[in-house]
Amino acid sequence: MAARRFKRGDYVRYDGHIDRFRGTWWTVEEVAIDRRNRTHAYTLTAAGIGRLRNVQPQHVSQPTRD
């Protein structure tokens, strides 16, 4: 199943391998698309933390909130 593509300004949760950032919420700042390899990566930003660059799609999610 392909990962859902997020657009700039979307609020997403980081679920990647960096333990101290796992589960934190970020804003998508930029979406980099590589048309040759049909892949994309995100640049995420959060106030007080900074930026995460080249975040792969499988490492971000947008779970529903109750």
Side-chain angles (χ1 to χ4, degrees):
M1 182 176 92
R4 177 180 178 270
R5 282 198 184 173
F6 300 106
K7 61 185 184 301
R8 195 170 133 193
D10 282 349
Y11 200 52
V12 296
R13 188 177 72 189
Y14 177 76
D15 296 323
H17 66 280
I18 304 173
D19 290 333
R20 67 180 181 177
F21 297 139
R22 190 177 298 137
T24 56
W25 289 86
W26 299 75
T27 303
V28 176
E29 184 177 79
E30 181 183 354
V31 180
I33 300 172
D34 182 354
R35 296 193 189 283
R36 178 182 292 199
N37 296 323
R38 296 183 182 184
T39 60
H40 59 284
Y42 299 109
T43 298
L44 306 177
T45 185
I49 298 176
R51 286 190 178 108
L52 284 179
R53 298 181 192 270
N54 293 326
V55 177
Q56 298 303 308
Q58 64 268 24
H59 294 151
V60 294
S61 64
Q62 197 174 43
T64 57
R65 293 185 181 174
D66 293 334

